[in-house]
Amino acid sequence: MQQTSNLPIGVFDSGMGGLTVLSALHSSLPQEHFIYLGDTARLPYGTKTRETVIKYAEQAASALVARGIKALVVACNTASGIALPALQKRFAPLPVYGVVEPGAIAAVHAASIAAIGTSVVVLATESTISSGAYQKAITKLAPQIRIFGRACPLWVTLAEMGNRDANLTRDILAHDIRGFLQKGPCVFLLGCTHFPVFSQALAEISSTVTVVDSAATTAAVVAEKLKTLNLLTNSLLKDNLLVDDLLSDAKQGQTLYLATDGAARFKQVGGQFLNCALDEVELVDL
Amino acid sequence: MQQTSNLPIGVFDSGMGGLTVLSALHSSLPQEHFIYLGDTARLPYGTKTRETVIKYAEQAASALVARGIKALVVACNTASGIALPALQKRFAPLPVYGVVEPGAIAAVHAASIAAIGTSVVVLATESTISSGAYQKAITKLAPQIRIFGRACPLWVTLAEMGNRDANLTRDILAHDIRGFLQKGPCVFLLGCTHFPVFSQALAEISSTVTVVDSAATTAAVVAEKLKTLNLLTNSLLKDNLLVDDLLSDAKQGQTLYLATDGAARFKQVGGQFLNCALDEVELVDL
């Protein structure tokens, strides 16, 4: 029987944006195996109701659990903001992590090292903003911080278009953030996994704002928690001092990619979120 | 048993855009009953693969057929362009009509009364453009017409945002059509049911182009075909000279609205496509 600690980590997103989180997980945990599921047939989640987001998130999580995973990362802000408690309850004792709390940690940290009175502007989908999840997570960490939320419904499509026209991208981004540039020092928190592709463009529009996203912090939080739970690959085996496994420490983990529609498009567009070419993508039906 | 001719006409779309077609059907066939289904949980269809569009269209059509309809109107360009033959085959002998052929008729007619050498520019979703359905339908009607296709992925989201910022709308529309304004006289065919909300804005960007959509032509085609099939409300009864039914001729038909997600949002955003307030919206699961 396979050791639990050697099972892959499941990661899911409504589509391809979550690959920015997977990319950070690859960097933090290079030896781990991953199964990434993008629910591309039903994206975006950001315009759906609470009930439908929970239903779809549970279906995606079930498909990953059925393949055998040791932990689940919800790499979709909308699903993290809305469905995390439902997923943690349903799949207990499986550890289930989201991206909202790590994103809040990143924003609060950035604000704390910036000027006094720096605000946080959450840029996200309609559902994430209206769920208030980021606002609550930031307030819990730093009640004194002023928080603004801005729904950016065009940005998901814009990101999936592959940033094909820099002028159009700049015009749309500038339109949506313009109102905040006069509000004093700001941290822009990219509260949608699609949005890190705009980090550079946002920095060019305003050199005075700090742009942060959840990806790196999520990867750090997941790595730390799996270590605490003794769930890192080979960690159980190392305690048993099996020489073969000690030797295999240097091995790179493998990633399996699943999508609910458009495997070819997933490979093509996904590469830009992952910052490298994708292997084969398997089509699944939820 | 209810006469077939008195059953409602089923209309479906991936979301709310098809309400522009329903609005035209209401005008052409005021006495008919309709059941409109918007698959709002899974929109947009325009980025999905052929296989998934056919699967979702068949599920939507099945839900309408199960409620008892005398004809089906596929008020979604993507589903019409891709799934119409599959739906006609599966639900035969139910009459199933799409919006692509009527749209092509409208474009060819507009081009024929414009300057010699007028081109047709099809503005639609990625899936509709890549299916080539409009290009084929126009070529069949008028092989001499030069046709351009332009995928406008941002426009669906923009339309659903309720045209909340006229400047942003104009910037995005102008960006996408700019290349065609130097190509001589053009007819812009709005090949997505969401796009008629931009007719006015497009006309303002260029006073030299003609803008047409499928809605009115589809309604005219459906009315004509149902008449030929003796399927208009009360038409069978009129032949039997039932006085009650002759008296009921002046009655307005009723419309039932179904959506797969977000009934409240459907009521709110749908009103702008329908040009009037919506009654209750019933939530259904496909």
Side-chain angles (χ1 to χ4, degrees):
Chain A
M1 198 183 128
Q2 195 175 12
Q3 293 283 354
T4 301
S5 62
N6 284 343
L7 289 174
I9 298 167
V11 181
F12 90 84
D13 179 42
S14 60
M16 290 168 271
L19 293 171
T20 56
V21 176
L22 182 68
S23 176
L25 286 164
H26 279 163
S27 299
S28 292
L29 299 163
Q31 292 170 260
E32 295 296 331
H33 302 301
F34 293 94
I35 310 181
Y36 180 94
L37 168 59
D39 191 7
T40 40
R42 306 188 294 195
L43 68 82
Y45 281 10
T47 51
K48 304 192 199 306
T49 58
R50 183 178 176 77
E51 293 70 29
T52 297
V53 170
I54 292 174
K55 184 171 90 178
Y56 287 1
E58 287 188 339
Q59 290 172 347
S62 294
L64 288 168
V65 167
R67 287 179 181 245
I69 54 173
K70 65 182 175 190
L72 177 66
V73 179
V74 184
C76 167
N77 284 269
T78 303
S80 291
I82 292 172
L84 201 64
L87 294 173
Q88 286 170 329
K89 192 175 164 192
R90 173 153 171 193
F91 297 101
L94 184 80
V96 182
Y97 308 113
V99 291
V100 170
E101 277 191 32
I105 292 169
V108 169
H109 175 71
S112 73
I113 59 174
I116 291 170
T118 294
S119 313
V120 172
V121 179
V122 183
L123 304 166
T125 63
E126 288 171 279
S127 298
T128 300
I129 294 298
S130 64
S131 78
Y134 268 111
Q135 294 90 319
K136 281 175 219 155
I138 294 168
T139 301
K140 204 170 155 189
L141 292 168
Q144 78 288 359
I145 289 185
R146 199 163 53 145
I147 309 159
F148 300 99
R150 170 82 187 183
C152 305
L154 290 169
W155 294 22
V156 171
T157 309
L158 196 64
E160 297 213 336
M161 285 166 65
N163 226 345
R164 74 170 82 125
D165 185 311
N167 291 334
L168 180 69
T169 298
R170 199 185 44 240
D171 287 351
I172 294 174
L173 300 184
H175 174 271
D176 283 342
I177 65 169
R178 194 177 297 140
F180 300 107
L181 300 179
Q182 279 80 46
K183 286 192 188 295
C186 282
V187 169
F188 281 0
L189 170 55
L190 305 181
C192 172
T193 48
H194 279 81
F195 295 177
V197 296
F198 301 130
S199 296
Q200 180 65 28
L202 286 168
E204 282 167 16
I205 293 169
S206 171
S207 56
T208 60
V209 301
T210 309
V211 181
V212 298
D213 66 66
S214 320
T217 337
T218 300
V221 167
V222 171
E224 184 56 36
K225 295 207 171 173
L226 291 186
K227 194 179 164 195
T228 308
L229 293 170
N230 218 15
L231 277 178
L232 291 178
T233 296
N234 294 321
S235 58
L236 274 175
L237 300 170
K238 267 191 284 183
D239 291 345
N240 292 340
L241 290 174
L242 294 179
V243 177
D244 275 359
D245 295 300
L246 280 174
L247 287 175
S248 76
D249 262 6
K251 274 188 199 162
Q252 283 280 322
Q254 302 293 312
T255 300
L256 173 65
Y257 297 95
L258 312 175
T260 52
D261 194 31
R265 189 170 187 271
F266 190 101
K267 275 187 77 169
Q268 179 207 328
V269 182
Q272 86 190 46
F273 291 108
L274 196 60
N275 269 327
C276 69
L278 265 83
D279 302 324
E280 283 312 298
V281 178
E282 184 185 326
L283 215 56
V284 292
D285 192 358
L286 302 183
Chain B
M1 197 184 130
Q2 194 174 10
Q3 292 283 354
T4 301
S5 63
N6 284 342
L7 289 175
I9 298 167
V11 181
F12 89 85
D13 179 43
S14 60
M16 290 168 269
L19 293 170
T20 57
V21 177
L22 182 68
S23 176
L25 286 164
H26 279 162
S27 300
S28 293
L29 300 164
Q31 293 170 260
E32 295 296 331
H33 302 301
F34 293 94
I35 309 181
Y36 180 94
L37 167 60
D39 191 7
T40 41
R42 306 188 295 194
L43 69 82
Y45 282 9
T47 51
K48 304 190 199 307
T49 58
R50 183 177 175 77
E51 293 70 30
T52 297
V53 169
I54 292 174
K55 184 170 89 176
Y56 287 1
E58 287 188 339
Q59 290 172 346
S62 294
L64 289 168
V65 168
R67 286 179 183 246
I69 53 173
K70 66 182 176 190
L72 177 66
V73 179
V74 184
C76 167
N77 285 268
T78 303
S80 291
I82 292 171
L84 201 64
L87 295 173
Q88 286 169 329
K89 191 174 164 194
R90 172 152 171 193
F91 297 101
L94 184 81
V96 181
Y97 308 113
V99 291
V100 170
E101 277 190 31
I105 292 169
V108 169
H109 175 71
S112 72
I113 59 174
I116 290 172
T118 294
S119 314
V120 172
V121 179
V122 183
L123 304 165
T125 64
E126 288 171 277
S127 299
T128 300
I129 294 299
S130 63
S131 78
Y134 267 110
Q135 294 91 318
K136 282 175 218 154
I138 293 168
T139 301
K140 204 170 155 189
L141 292 167
Q144 78 287 0
I145 289 185
R146 199 162 53 143
I147 309 159
F148 300 99
R150 170 81 188 185
C152 305
L154 289 169
W155 295 22
V156 172
T157 309
L158 196 65
E160 298 214 335
M161 284 166 66
N163 224 345
R164 74 170 80 126
D165 185 311
N167 291 334
L168 179 70
T169 298
R170 198 184 47 241
D171 287 351
I172 293 174
L173 300 184
H175 173 272
D176 283 342
I177 65 169
R178 194 176 297 140
F180 301 107
L181 300 179
Q182 280 80 46
K183 287 192 188 293
C186 281
V187 168
F188 282 0
L189 170 55
L190 306 181
C192 172
T193 48
H194 279 80
F195 296 177
V197 296
F198 302 129
S199 296
Q200 180 65 27
L202 286 168
E204 282 168 16
I205 293 169
S206 172
S207 56
T208 61
V209 301
T210 310
V211 181
V212 298
D213 66 67
S214 319
T217 337
T218 300
V221 167
V222 171
E224 184 56 36
K225 295 207 171 173
L226 292 186
K227 194 179 164 195
T228 308
L229 293 170
N230 218 16
L231 277 177
L232 291 177
T233 296
N234 293 321
S235 57
L236 275 176
L237 300 170
K238 267 191 280 182
D239 292 343
N240 293 339
L241 290 175
L242 294 180
V243 178
D244 275 0
D245 294 300
L246 280 174
L247 287 174
S248 75
D249 262 8
K251 273 186 197 163
Q252 284 280 322
Q254 303 292 311
T255 301
L256 173 65
Y257 297 95
L258 312 175
T260 53
D261 194 33
R265 190 170 187 270
F266 190 101
K267 276 188 76 169
Q268 179 207 326
V269 182
Q272 85 190 46
F273 292 108
L274 196 60
N275 269 327
C276 70
L278 265 83
D279 302 325
E280 283 313 298
V281 179
E282 184 185 325
L283 215 55
V284 292
D285 192 359
L286 302 183

